[in-house]
Amino acid sequence: MVHLLTASRYGIFRDELYYIACARHLGAGYVDHPPLIAWITWVVLHTLGLSLLALRLLPALASGLLVWMTAMMAREWGGGGYAQFLAALAIVPVPVYLILQHWLTMNAFEPLCWTGILWAASRITLRRDPRYWIVVGVLVGLSLENKYSIVFLVASLTLGFLFTKERRWLKSSYFLGALAIAMLLFLPNLVWLARHGFPFLEFERHSRESDSRILRGPVSFLLDQARIMNPVLAPLWVAGLAWFFTRRGKALRCIGIAVLVVILILLVMQAKNYYVSPIYPVLFAGGAIAVERWFMQRNWLRVAYPVAILISGCIVAPLVMPILPIPQFLAYHRLWRGFTPVVFENEPERPLPQYFADEFGWEAMAQTTAQVFHQLSPQEQVKTAIFANNYGEAAAIDFFGPRYGLPLSISKAQTYWLWGRRQYDGQSVIVLGSDGRGDREFFRSVEPVARVQSLYSRADERFTIFYGRDMHPPLGVLWPQIKAW
């Protein structure tokens, strides 16, 4: 409910703009992500519309469904009413969930995918019913179409079964059926990736080499988990991890091993700290069961711990959700400057954290670009390309541009490069997102024509707009060389 109440408070997020652009170029794959989010966005656009509330309805529903699933897991695994309540409550004040489930992105649905797979896998062992492999197969196939990181969970879960007596379930014909179903669902994207030379691998390599990537050592990575998941919840998920290796959790030890392997893999890979976040609902479920029993004779703790969780949520929520107007948020953020719940990228100091800054400045940039475009003669406008160096700028032009009379953009970034240069040859180009270096070598003349300057946007989205004439060599010749994945 809180997600829906705050859906329209700030602006549209960078990645939401990009997925809308992808939804207008439906296909079996994209350079930097699988296709499911584009298809979901297409359905939203053609049923609910383009409002922020419409875009963010499904992520809000996913958030609520995750709360319910976590409680139901705790019940199925032997937890009583208190354990179910505590497991559900634990999902609510998690900073990284409050952020990622606010937007229509792949990350809003990833925890559901992981939790569903692990819940179905647990039913194989608890109910001794291998038919649940079919559910696992369907969910894995859909998850592969949502985000490739699901391979870490699949590999870890397989090891979890292999390293316990539950390995016998791997011999079931249903397991082979699950593999076949998963591959069949993933096949369209796999074929697309193969036809395009697996561009995601190139994109991921460049992303890991980027200056914006935060490199964390093992200790910092683990400490980050407490921060992004809410420090008050750390005892709960630690207890949950331990519970899988107790006598009561023995039947689900394969799940505990899978969790450990996922954390280890991502730690060794120096992955982004929030990549682990989809694994925590199962830890909250297990931890709630352990805590319920431990609190049985400690009534004051049965009350005090949920109250502490609620208080922590009230403190954290304004830091990670668009609850407060910007002036009040800035004051509140300064008050808690020593505690920043989530940091996704290395970014220069700015008024707003990156996850909020990426919701500001897009329409203002389109307006400024339109002023430049409409200063050109009608003859020049027809042959003028709006070239964006970043997918966010390109997608913002495509989203806001029609209301300001702008043509669709072109870009060297991500899947925009595959969509091509349209009809443009480079005679007349408005350049967005350039730092002013390198442009002059491609044009016979380049001049600064405007400045994009939004107070609350990211620092790298405050730039000079350049206008270039007579690209050499022509854009058709240059296009294969400027790909930026």
Side-chain angles (χ1 to χ4, degrees):
M1 179 60 70
V2 178
H3 284 297
L4 294 179
L5 292 175
T6 60
S8 304
R9 184 171 288 275
Y10 293 169
I12 191 166
F13 185 63
R14 174 192 299 267
D15 288 3
E16 289 176 313
L17 291 167
Y18 179 46
Y19 297 141
I20 290 171
C22 292
R24 291 168 173 164
H25 296 80
L26 281 181
Y30 302 88
V31 166
D32 49 342
H33 61 87
L36 183 59
I37 187 62
W39 287 88
I40 291 174
T41 305
W42 184 90
V43 171
V44 170
L45 296 182
H46 288 79
T47 55
L48 303 176
L50 273 172
S51 71
L52 289 176
L53 182 60
L55 290 174
R56 292 166 178 174
L57 175 61
L58 291 183
L61 294 177
S63 176
L65 183 56
L66 185 64
V67 172
W68 175 82
M69 288 178 66
T70 307
M72 292 301 98
M73 269 195 307
R75 184 177 72 173
E76 183 153 358
W77 293 356
Y82 183 80
Q84 295 167 45
F85 162 73
L86 192 60
L89 179 64
I91 298 294
V92 177
V94 173
V96 71
Y97 291 167
L98 293 176
I99 293 173
L100 296 178
Q101 292 175 335
H102 174 64
W103 305 310
L104 180 59
T105 70
M106 301 176 291
N107 296 311
F109 306 105
E110 188 180 24
L112 277 181
C113 295
W114 287 47
T115 303
I117 290 168
L118 291 171
W119 189 6
S122 73
R123 287 188 166 193
I124 296 171
T125 64
L126 292 178
R127 300 188 180 190
R128 301 184 180 279
D129 189 347
R131 289 176 297 179
Y132 280 101
W133 277 125
I134 301 303
V135 179
V136 172
V138 171
L139 292 176
V140 168
L142 292 175
S143 299
L144 283 167
E145 296 285 11
N146 180 62
K147 198 171 180 183
Y148 299 127
S149 56
I150 194 65
V151 299
F152 301 129
L153 177 63
V154 173
S156 301
L157 186 59
T158 303
L159 290 175
F161 273 85
L162 283 173
F163 291 160
T164 63
K165 65 179 182 180
E166 311 302 337
R167 69 180 67 89
R168 65 184 185 274
W169 301 114
L170 297 176
K171 300 176 183 178
S172 168
S173 60
Y174 288 105
F175 176 70
L176 296 179
L179 291 177
I181 290 171
M183 288 307 301
L184 185 64
L185 290 172
F186 181 51
L187 186 60
N189 185 228
L190 181 61
V191 171
W192 186 94
L193 289 168
R195 289 182 59 191
H196 291 83
F198 293 92
F200 180 78
L201 298 178
E202 182 178 341
F203 165 79
E204 187 64 20
R205 185 177 72 252
H206 290 159
S207 177
R208 292 177 64 83
E209 296 169 353
S210 169
D211 292 336
S212 66
R213 181 167 170 265
I214 298 175
L215 295 175
R216 310 295 275 171
V219 175
S220 297
F221 182 86
L222 293 175
L223 290 176
D224 278 355
Q225 300 309 304
R227 185 172 65 173
I228 68 174
M229 299 305 297
N230 189 329
V232 175
L233 294 171
L236 187 63
W237 59 259
V238 170
L241 183 58
W243 179 80
F244 287 109
F245 297 91
T246 64
R247 181 179 57 81
R248 292 191 71 199
K250 184 178 180 181
L252 295 170
R253 192 157 297 166
C254 56
I255 305 294
I257 292 173
V259 170
L260 280 175
V261 174
V262 165
I263 295 173
L264 181 61
I265 290 174
L266 295 176
L267 187 151
V268 170
M269 290 180 60
Q270 291 188 303
K272 294 180 180 179
N273 52 24
Y274 71 91
Y275 282 11
V276 188
S277 62
I279 206 73
Y280 284 93
V282 297
L283 296 182
F284 290 149
I289 297 170
V291 165
E292 179 182 52
R293 187 176 185 185
W294 191 62
F295 284 1
M296 195 170 294
Q297 303 302 321
R298 300 170 177 85
N299 289 331
W300 69 274
L301 280 176
R302 291 173 70 89
V303 175
Y305 191 48
V307 169
I309 293 174
L310 287 172
I311 292 173
S312 71
C314 292
I315 293 172
V316 167
L319 292 171
V320 294
M321 298 184 71
I323 294 173
L324 301 173
I326 291 298
Q328 285 81 356
F329 169 79
L330 292 175
Y332 191 75
H333 191 248
R334 283 192 295 271
L335 180 66
W336 293 92
R337 185 169 294 276
F339 174 66
T340 302
V342 181
V343 178
F344 290 133
E345 299 177 357
N346 280 320
E347 288 288 337
E349 188 69 20
R350 50 182 152 13
L352 296 178
Q354 176 256 320
Y355 48 84
F356 283 160
D358 259 331
E359 295 189 18
F360 286 88
W362 301 117
E363 185 167 10
M365 181 203 69
Q367 288 177 313
T368 304
T369 305
Q371 293 171 4
V372 174
F373 182 80
H374 290 299
Q375 288 173 359
L376 303 173
S377 69
Q379 293 78 16
E380 288 179 309
Q381 290 179 17
V382 171
K383 59 184 180 182
T384 297
I386 300 176
F387 178 87
N389 279 279
N390 179 276
Y391 71 89
E393 297 145 14
I397 292 297
D398 290 353
F399 183 80
F400 292 108
R403 70 183 68 169
Y404 298 109
L406 292 176
L408 295 175
S409 64
I410 61 174
S411 177
K412 64 181 180 180
Q414 269 73 313
T415 314
Y416 265 95
W417 181 83
L418 285 180
W419 296 336
R421 61 184 176 89
R422 306 189 190 279
Q423 76 276 14
Y424 302 112
D425 59 10
Q427 292 182 53
S428 176
V429 183
I430 297 172
V431 181
L432 306 179
S434 171
D435 59 7
R437 296 177 296 177
D439 296 311
R440 285 168 175 77
E441 67 184 78
F442 296 119
F443 296 97
R444 298 201 183 278
S445 68
V446 178
E447 58 180 317
V449 289
R451 178 75 184 169
V452 175
Q453 190 75 30
S454 178
L455 176 60
Y456 298 125
S457 67
R458 288 168 52 135
D460 55 2
E461 293 302 338
R462 303 170 199 166
F463 54 80
T464 298
I465 297 178
F466 292 94
Y467 177 61
R469 294 180 181 273
D470 299 325
M471 180 176 283
H472 61 89
L475 188 57
V477 176
L478 190 61
W479 194 259
Q481 307 170 31
I482 62 173
K483 177 182 70 176
W485 289 351

